[in-house]
Amino acid sequence: MALYSTHTGHKQVKRIRNAGLMLVLLLFALATLFPIYFMIISSFGDPVEAGALSYSLWPGKISLESYRFFFDYSEHSYRWLLNSLIVATSVMVFNVVFATLAGYAFSKIRFRGRTVLFSILLCAMMIPYQVTQVPLYILIVNVFQIENTYGALILPGLVTVYNIFLAKQFMTSIPTEILECAKVEGCNQFQMFTKIVLPLSKTVMAVMAILTFMDSWNTFFWPFLVTNTMDMQTIQVGLKNFRFANTTYFAPMMAGATISALPMFVLFFSLQKYFLEGVTVGAVKG
């Protein structure tokens, strides 16, 4: 009887603990989803009431006028979306190509100074992003003089140390014996990379592509620095044009933010498994 009471008591404690954890997770989920809900629901407000600063959890009138206002407000509204697509896609492609090449070199090719060079790259990861903006801005604007161009938006993000680290850690887990067998068969480094390593690295390449595209699409600070005309702005920078000194077109701005978030929603829900794999890829060395 005592054993049964002890067992029942443990079950009750476990249920209470699980209920408490679920409540905490639910609160965190609500806190995370609330800004998204507020953005979407505010985008259906009336553009006429945009400058009233009367924020509410539910608009007084549901309409699509704010979306129409967003596209009619400027002749460059569509161009902002196109610029973001061009920049994010270019940065994503170059990152995947260069990071996989560098990851293969660091993981499978033995050359003098490999460890030192990789350590320097890891140290570069510790430098805050904001610290490099001033010298990078001077290079782009004063030295190369390519401000307000696609080159200024794309070149600084051609490859990131994080992607190199991710590719290197993943490719280290590929058995070296496979490459040695290919070398015996007469394959050179390029053939081993394209015919063996790349097919085995599809997962990490997909993870790099998704995360890089999201980061480039959502970037605001750098495009804001190097663009000075509306036709070269990305969607994130273009949204600032709806804010003025005395008023803000709040509902149209939220409509533009909702439109800019759609690619991220599509990426997340269609490729969710790659996001989950990206948490652990390269974390376990085989």
Side-chain angles (χ1 to χ4, degrees), residues 74-110:
S74 173
E75 60 180 341
H76 304 298
S77 296
Y78 292 97
R79 182 68 182 268
W80 297 337
L81 293 169
L82 178 62
N83 290 341
S84 290
L85 182 61
I86 292 174
V87 172
T89 303
S90 301
V91 170
M92 176 191 70
V93 172
F94 282 114
N95 261 272
V96 172
V97 172
F98 292 149
T100 51
L101 287 170
Y104 174 72
F106 280 119
S107 61
K108 297 303 180 184
I109 300 178
R110 296 187 177 275

mmCIF file of all heavy atoms in Angstrom, residues 74-110:
data_model
loop_
_atom_site.group_PDB
_atom_site.id
_atom_site.type_symbol
_atom_site.label_atom_id
_atom_site.label_comp_id
_atom_site.label_asym_id
_atom_site.label_seq_id
_atom_site.Cartn_x
_atom_site.Cartn_y
_atom_site.Cartn_z
ATOM 1 N N SER A 74 4.925 54.596 -53.607
ATOM 2 C CA SER A 74 6.145 54.931 -54.330
ATOM 3 C C SER A 74 6.260 54.061 -55.578
ATOM 4 O O SER A 74 5.842 52.901 -55.570
ATOM 5 C CB SER A 74 7.381 54.724 -53.439
ATOM 6 O OG SER A 74 8.574 54.885 -54.187
ATOM 7 N N GLU A 75 6.838 54.631 -56.606
ATOM 8 C CA GLU A 75 7.070 53.864 -57.828
ATOM 9 C C GLU A 75 8.156 52.811 -57.643
ATOM 10 O O GLU A 75 8.334 51.927 -58.497
ATOM 11 C CB GLU A 75 7.483 54.803 -58.960
ATOM 12 C CG GLU A 75 8.758 55.590 -58.662
ATOM 13 C CD GLU A 75 9.151 56.514 -59.802
ATOM 14 O OE1 GLU A 75 8.653 56.279 -60.922
ATOM 15 O OE2 GLU A 75 9.937 57.448 -59.564
ATOM 16 N N HIS A 76 8.870 52.884 -56.532
ATOM 17 C CA HIS A 76 9.961 51.951 -56.277
ATOM 18 C C HIS A 76 9.557 50.837 -55.325
ATOM 19 O O HIS A 76 10.438 50.068 -54.908
ATOM 20 C CB HIS A 76 11.165 52.697 -55.693
ATOM 21 C CG HIS A 76 11.653 53.826 -56.532
ATOM 22 N ND1 HIS A 76 12.148 53.656 -57.812
ATOM 23 C CD2 HIS A 76 11.704 55.173 -56.290
ATOM 24 C CE1 HIS A 76 12.494 54.818 -58.315
ATOM 25 N NE2 HIS A 76 12.241 55.759 -57.414
ATOM 26 N N SER A 77 8.297 50.710 -54.959
ATOM 27 C CA SER A 77 7.876 49.682 -53.999
ATOM 28 C C SER A 77 8.213 48.286 -54.506
ATOM 29 O O SER A 77 8.732 47.443 -53.758
ATOM 30 C CB SER A 77 6.383 49.809 -53.716
ATOM 31 O OG SER A 77 6.092 51.045 -53.089
ATOM 32 N N TYR A 78 7.903 48.026 -55.769
ATOM 33 C CA TYR A 78 8.238 46.724 -56.343
ATOM 34 C C TYR A 78 9.752 46.550 -56.466
ATOM 35 O O TYR A 78 10.275 45.434 -56.317
ATOM 36 C CB TYR A 78 7.587 46.555 -57.719
ATOM 37 C CG TYR A 78 6.079 46.447 -57.670
ATOM 38 C CD1 TYR A 78 5.271 47.560 -57.895
ATOM 39 C CD2 TYR A 78 5.459 45.232 -57.400
ATOM 40 C CE1 TYR A 78 3.887 47.466 -57.859
ATOM 41 C CE2 TYR A 78 4.070 45.115 -57.363
ATOM 42 C CZ TYR A 78 3.298 46.238 -57.596
ATOM 43 O OH TYR A 78 1.929 46.140 -57.555
ATOM 44 N N ARG A 79 10.444 47.639 -56.731
ATOM 45 C CA ARG A 79 11.905 47.589 -56.876
ATOM 46 C C ARG A 79 12.569 47.204 -55.555
ATOM 47 O O ARG A 79 13.594 46.507 -55.541
ATOM 48 C CB ARG A 79 12.414 48.943 -57.365
ATOM 49 C CG ARG A 79 13.921 49.003 -57.599
ATOM 50 C CD ARG A 79 14.349 48.140 -58.777
ATOM 51 N NE ARG A 79 15.792 48.164 -58.952
ATOM 52 C CZ ARG A 79 16.416 49.028 -59.758
ATOM 53 N NH1 ARG A 79 15.705 49.904 -60.464
ATOM 54 N NH2 ARG A 79 17.722 48.990 -59.867
ATOM 55 N N TRP A 80 11.993 47.641 -54.437
ATOM 56 C CA TRP A 80 12.559 47.272 -53.135
ATOM 57 C C TRP A 80 12.551 45.758 -52.949
ATOM 58 O O TRP A 80 13.532 45.172 -52.504
ATOM 59 C CB TRP A 80 11.761 47.938 -52.007
ATOM 60 C CG TRP A 80 11.813 49.430 -52.023
ATOM 61 C CD1 TRP A 80 12.773 50.210 -52.597
ATOM 62 C CD2 TRP A 80 10.866 50.322 -51.446
ATOM 63 N NE1 TRP A 80 12.488 51.542 -52.412
ATOM 64 C CE2 TRP A 80 11.313 51.649 -51.708
ATOM 65 C CE3 TRP A 80 9.681 50.157 -50.739
ATOM 66 C CZ2 TRP A 80 10.620 52.768 -51.276
ATOM 67 C CZ3 TRP A 80 8.988 51.272 -50.308
ATOM 68 C CH2 TRP A 80 9.450 52.560 -50.575
ATOM 69 N N LEU A 81 11.435 45.141 -53.306
ATOM 70 C CA LEU A 81 11.339 43.683 -53.187
ATOM 71 C C LEU A 81 12.306 42.995 -54.148
ATOM 72 O O LEU A 81 12.953 41.997 -53.785
ATOM 73 C CB LEU A 81 9.904 43.227 -53.460
ATOM 74 C CG LEU A 81 8.857 43.662 -52.421
ATOM 75 C CD1 LEU A 81 7.461 43.382 -52.942
ATOM 76 C CD2 LEU A 81 9.086 42.943 -51.103
ATOM 77 N N LEU A 82 12.415 43.524 -55.372
ATOM 78 C CA LEU A 82 13.332 42.940 -56.341
ATOM 79 C C LEU A 82 14.778 43.077 -55.879
ATOM 80 O O LEU A 82 15.574 42.131 -56.008
ATOM 81 C CB LEU A 82 13.148 43.619 -57.707
ATOM 82 C CG LEU A 82 14.075 43.138 -58.833
ATOM 83 C CD1 LEU A 82 13.838 41.664 -59.120
ATOM 84 C CD2 LEU A 82 13.873 43.980 -60.093
ATOM 85 N N ASN A 83 15.139 44.235 -55.339
ATOM 86 C CA ASN A 83 16.500 44.429 -54.838
ATOM 87 C C ASN A 83 16.828 43.442 -53.727
ATOM 88 O O ASN A 83 17.921 42.858 -53.703
ATOM 89 C CB ASN A 83 16.677 45.864 -54.330
ATOM 90 C CG ASN A 83 16.684 46.883 -55.454
ATOM 91 O OD1 ASN A 83 16.900 46.547 -56.611
ATOM 92 N ND2 ASN A 83 16.439 48.128 -55.111
ATOM 93 N N SER A 84 15.897 43.268 -52.803
ATOM 94 C CA SER A 84 16.119 42.313 -51.712
ATOM 95 C C SER A 84 16.295 40.903 -52.250
ATOM 96 O O SER A 84 17.144 40.145 -51.780
ATOM 97 C CB SER A 84 14.947 42.356 -50.724
ATOM 98 O OG SER A 84 14.929 43.561 -50.004
ATOM 99 N N LEU A 85 15.490 40.547 -53.252
ATOM 100 C CA LEU A 85 15.583 39.203 -53.833
ATOM 101 C C LEU A 85 16.923 39.012 -54.531
ATOM 102 O O LEU A 85 17.571 37.962 -54.374
ATOM 103 C CB LEU A 85 14.436 38.986 -54.823
ATOM 104 C CG LEU A 85 14.362 37.601 -55.473
ATOM 105 C CD1 LEU A 85 14.158 36.528 -54.409
ATOM 106 C CD2 LEU A 85 13.246 37.554 -56.509
ATOM 107 N N ILE A 86 17.367 40.012 -55.297
ATOM 108 C CA ILE A 86 18.651 39.907 -56.003
ATOM 109 C C ILE A 86 19.801 39.800 -55.010
ATOM 110 O O ILE A 86 20.689 38.937 -55.140
ATOM 111 C CB ILE A 86 18.843 41.119 -56.936
ATOM 112 C CG1 ILE A 86 17.839 41.076 -58.087
ATOM 113 C CG2 ILE A 86 20.268 41.160 -57.481
ATOM 114 C CD1 ILE A 86 17.862 42.315 -58.975
ATOM 115 N N VAL A 87 19.806 40.669 -54.007
ATOM 116 C CA VAL A 87 20.912 40.692 -53.041
ATOM 117 C C VAL A 87 20.934 39.411 -52.216
ATOM 118 O O VAL A 87 21.984 38.767 -52.068
ATOM 119 C CB VAL A 87 20.799 41.927 -52.127
ATOM 120 C CG1 VAL A 87 21.830 41.857 -51.008
ATOM 121 C CG2 VAL A 87 20.986 43.203 -52.937
ATOM 122 N N ALA A 88 19.786 39.006 -51.676
ATOM 123 C CA ALA A 88 19.744 37.823 -50.820
ATOM 124 C C ALA A 88 20.098 36.560 -51.597
ATOM 125 O O ALA A 88 20.830 35.694 -51.096
ATOM 126 C CB ALA A 88 18.353 37.687 -50.196
ATOM 127 N N THR A 89 19.611 36.438 -52.819
ATOM 128 C CA THR A 89 19.915 35.253 -53.630
ATOM 129 C C THR A 89 21.392 35.209 -53.997
ATOM 130 O O THR A 89 22.029 34.147 -53.924
ATOM 131 C CB THR A 89 19.056 35.248 -54.906
ATOM 132 O OG1 THR A 89 17.671 35.290 -54.551
ATOM 133 C CG2 THR A 89 19.318 33.991 -55.724
ATOM 134 N N SER A 90 21.954 36.349 -54.391
ATOM 135 C CA SER A 90 23.372 36.392 -54.759
ATOM 136 C C SER A 90 24.255 36.049 -53.564
ATOM 137 O O SER A 90 25.194 35.241 -53.678
ATOM 138 C CB SER A 90 23.733 37.774 -55.306
ATOM 139 O OG SER A 90 22.968 38.097 -56.437
ATOM 140 N N VAL A 91 23.975 36.656 -52.423
ATOM 141 C CA VAL A 91 24.761 36.381 -51.216
ATOM 142 C C VAL A 91 24.638 34.910 -50.826
ATOM 143 O O VAL A 91 25.623 34.265 -50.442
ATOM 144 C CB VAL A 91 24.304 37.294 -50.066
ATOM 145 C CG1 VAL A 91 24.931 36.857 -48.742
ATOM 146 C CG2 VAL A 91 24.675 38.738 -50.365
ATOM 147 N N MET A 92 23.439 34.347 -50.951
ATOM 148 C CA MET A 92 23.234 32.944 -50.612
ATOM 149 C C MET A 92 24.057 32.028 -51.516
ATOM 150 O O MET A 92 24.757 31.123 -51.034
ATOM 151 C CB MET A 92 21.754 32.594 -50.733
ATOM 152 C CG MET A 92 21.429 31.137 -50.494
ATOM 153 S SD MET A 92 19.738 30.724 -50.964
ATOM 154 C CE MET A 92 19.855 30.871 -52.764
ATOM 155 N N VAL A 93 24.002 32.252 -52.829
ATOM 156 C CA VAL A 93 24.724 31.388 -53.781
ATOM 157 C C VAL A 93 26.228 31.475 -53.562
ATOM 158 O O VAL A 93 26.930 30.446 -53.478
ATOM 159 C CB VAL A 93 24.359 31.776 -55.229
ATOM 160 C CG1 VAL A 93 25.251 31.026 -56.215
ATOM 161 C CG2 VAL A 93 22.894 31.471 -55.507
ATOM 162 N N PHE A 94 26.761 32.689 -53.463
ATOM 163 C CA PHE A 94 28.201 32.845 -53.268
ATOM 164 C C PHE A 94 28.657 32.241 -51.942
ATOM 165 O O PHE A 94 29.740 31.639 -51.867
ATOM 166 C CB PHE A 94 28.588 34.323 -53.338
ATOM 167 C CG PHE A 94 28.663 34.870 -54.730
ATOM 168 C CD1 PHE A 94 27.784 35.842 -55.162
ATOM 169 C CD2 PHE A 94 29.621 34.390 -55.613
ATOM 170 C CE1 PHE A 94 27.847 36.337 -56.453
ATOM 171 C CE2 PHE A 94 29.696 34.886 -56.910
ATOM 172 C CZ PHE A 94 28.803 35.866 -57.335
ATOM 173 N N ASN A 95 27.860 32.395 -50.892
ATOM 174 C CA ASN A 95 28.225 31.824 -49.604
ATOM 175 C C ASN A 95 28.299 30.312 -49.664
ATOM 176 O O ASN A 95 29.232 29.701 -49.122
ATOM 177 C CB ASN A 95 27.224 32.257 -48.529
ATOM 178 C CG ASN A 95 27.723 33.414 -47.707
ATOM 179 O OD1 ASN A 95 28.398 33.233 -46.697
ATOM 180 N ND2 ASN A 95 27.414 34.622 -48.144
ATOM 181 N N VAL A 96 27.318 29.685 -50.288
ATOM 182 C CA VAL A 96 27.317 28.225 -50.372
ATOM 183 C C VAL A 96 28.527 27.737 -51.166
ATOM 184 O O VAL A 96 29.209 26.777 -50.764
ATOM 185 C CB VAL A 96 26.005 27.727 -51.009
ATOM 186 C CG1 VAL A 96 26.082 26.229 -51.288
ATOM 187 C CG2 VAL A 96 24.829 28.016 -50.094
ATOM 188 N N VAL A 97 28.828 28.392 -52.280
ATOM 189 C CA VAL A 97 29.955 27.967 -53.118
ATOM 190 C C VAL A 97 31.278 28.152 -52.386
ATOM 191 O O VAL A 97 32.084 27.209 -52.261
ATOM 192 C CB VAL A 97 29.962 28.751 -54.455
ATOM 193 C CG1 VAL A 97 31.236 28.445 -55.242
ATOM 194 C CG2 VAL A 97 28.734 28.398 -55.284
ATOM 195 N N PHE A 98 31.536 29.366 -51.893
ATOM 196 C CA PHE A 98 32.826 29.647 -51.265
ATOM 197 C C PHE A 98 32.994 28.903 -49.937
ATOM 198 O O PHE A 98 34.092 28.437 -49.617
ATOM 199 C CB PHE A 98 32.986 31.156 -51.050
ATOM 200 C CG PHE A 98 33.134 31.933 -52.324
ATOM 201 C CD1 PHE A 98 32.669 33.232 -52.429
ATOM 202 C CD2 PHE A 98 33.732 31.366 -53.433
ATOM 203 C CE1 PHE A 98 32.803 33.956 -53.610
ATOM 204 C CE2 PHE A 98 33.876 32.075 -54.614
ATOM 205 C CZ PHE A 98 33.410 33.370 -54.708
ATOM 206 N N ALA A 99 31.923 28.805 -49.152
ATOM 207 C CA ALA A 99 32.027 28.137 -47.856
ATOM 208 C C ALA A 99 32.285 26.642 -48.018
ATOM 209 O O ALA A 99 33.059 26.054 -47.251
ATOM 210 C CB ALA A 99 30.761 28.371 -47.037
ATOM 211 N N THR A 100 31.640 26.012 -48.997
ATOM 212 C CA THR A 100 31.890 24.580 -49.215
ATOM 213 C C THR A 100 33.311 24.338 -49.725
ATOM 214 O O THR A 100 33.971 23.364 -49.314
ATOM 215 C CB THR A 100 30.877 24.000 -50.214
ATOM 216 O OG1 THR A 100 30.832 24.822 -51.395
ATOM 217 C CG2 THR A 100 29.498 23.924 -49.598
ATOM 218 N N LEU A 101 33.810 25.209 -50.597
ATOM 219 C CA LEU A 101 35.189 25.074 -51.067
ATOM 220 C C LEU A 101 36.179 25.231 -49.913
ATOM 221 O O LEU A 101 37.114 24.430 -49.757
ATOM 222 C CB LEU A 101 35.468 26.112 -52.151
ATOM 223 C CG LEU A 101 34.836 25.875 -53.529
ATOM 224 C CD1 LEU A 101 35.011 27.107 -54.417
ATOM 225 C CD2 LEU A 101 35.441 24.653 -54.201
ATOM 226 N N ALA A 102 35.970 26.267 -49.087
ATOM 227 C CA ALA A 102 36.873 26.493 -47.959
ATOM 228 C C ALA A 102 36.741 25.382 -46.927
ATOM 229 O O ALA A 102 37.743 24.924 -46.355
ATOM 230 C CB ALA A 102 36.567 27.850 -47.317
ATOM 231 N N GLY A 103 35.519 24.922 -46.675
ATOM 232 C CA GLY A 103 35.320 23.835 -45.728
ATOM 233 C C GLY A 103 36.003 22.560 -46.168
ATOM 234 O O GLY A 103 36.589 21.832 -45.355
ATOM 235 N N TYR A 104 35.948 22.282 -47.460
ATOM 236 C CA TYR A 104 36.629 21.091 -47.985
ATOM 237 C C TYR A 104 38.135 21.225 -47.835
ATOM 238 O O TYR A 104 38.830 20.269 -47.447
ATOM 239 C CB TYR A 104 36.261 20.898 -49.454
ATOM 240 C CG TYR A 104 37.021 19.780 -50.129
ATOM 241 C CD1 TYR A 104 36.743 18.448 -49.835
ATOM 242 C CD2 TYR A 104 38.016 20.063 -51.054
ATOM 243 C CE1 TYR A 104 37.453 17.422 -50.449
ATOM 244 C CE2 TYR A 104 38.730 19.045 -51.674
ATOM 245 C CZ TYR A 104 38.439 17.731 -51.366
ATOM 246 O OH TYR A 104 39.140 16.711 -51.975
ATOM 247 N N ALA A 105 38.668 22.413 -48.131
ATOM 248 C CA ALA A 105 40.108 22.616 -48.013
ATOM 249 C C ALA A 105 40.582 22.458 -46.571
ATOM 250 O O ALA A 105 41.602 21.810 -46.304
ATOM 251 C CB ALA A 105 40.477 24.001 -48.546
ATOM 252 N N PHE A 106 39.852 23.030 -45.636
ATOM 253 C CA PHE A 106 40.265 22.956 -44.232
ATOM 254 C C PHE A 106 40.083 21.564 -43.641
ATOM 255 O O PHE A 106 40.796 21.195 -42.703
ATOM 256 C CB PHE A 106 39.476 23.966 -43.398
ATOM 257 C CG PHE A 106 39.992 25.369 -43.494
ATOM 258 C CD1 PHE A 106 39.178 26.389 -43.985
ATOM 259 C CD2 PHE A 106 41.280 25.693 -43.099
ATOM 260 C CE1 PHE A 106 39.646 27.687 -44.082
ATOM 261 C CE2 PHE A 106 41.758 26.982 -43.196
ATOM 262 C CZ PHE A 106 40.932 27.983 -43.692
ATOM 263 N N SER A 107 39.150 20.790 -44.149
ATOM 264 C CA SER A 107 38.852 19.493 -43.539
ATOM 265 C C SER A 107 39.580 18.328 -44.207
ATOM 266 O O SER A 107 39.921 17.348 -43.542
ATOM 267 C CB SER A 107 37.345 19.228 -43.583
ATOM 268 O OG SER A 107 36.875 19.195 -44.923
ATOM 269 N N LYS A 108 39.845 18.422 -45.528
ATOM 270 C CA LYS A 108 40.369 17.257 -46.242
ATOM 271 C C LYS A 108 41.711 17.481 -46.946
ATOM 272 O O LYS A 108 42.295 16.517 -47.429
ATOM 273 C CB LYS A 108 39.336 16.794 -47.279
ATOM 274 C CG LYS A 108 38.014 16.336 -46.674
ATOM 275 C CD LYS A 108 38.217 15.204 -45.673
ATOM 276 C CE LYS A 108 36.892 14.748 -45.074
ATOM 277 N NZ LYS A 108 37.089 13.708 -44.031
ATOM 278 N N ILE A 109 42.167 18.696 -47.048
ATOM 279 C CA ILE A 109 43.436 18.972 -47.716
ATOM 280 C C ILE A 109 44.450 19.421 -46.674
ATOM 281 O O ILE A 109 44.204 20.371 -45.929
ATOM 282 C CB ILE A 109 43.280 20.052 -48.802
ATOM 283 C CG1 ILE A 109 42.263 19.605 -49.864
ATOM 284 C CG2 ILE A 109 44.623 20.350 -49.458
ATOM 285 C CD1 ILE A 109 42.008 20.644 -50.942
ATOM 286 N N ARG A 110 45.571 18.727 -46.629
ATOM 287 C CA ARG A 110 46.627 19.076 -45.668
ATOM 288 C C ARG A 110 47.599 20.055 -46.330
ATOM 289 O O ARG A 110 48.221 19.730 -47.332
ATOM 290 C CB ARG A 110 47.367 17.816 -45.209
ATOM 291 C CG ARG A 110 46.472 16.841 -44.446
ATOM 292 C CD ARG A 110 47.284 15.697 -43.865
ATOM 293 N NE ARG A 110 46.436 14.811 -43.089
ATOM 294 C CZ ARG A 110 46.110 14.999 -41.819
ATOM 295 N NH1 ARG A 110 46.582 16.064 -41.183
ATOM 296 N NH2 ARG A 110 45.339 14.149 -41.180
#
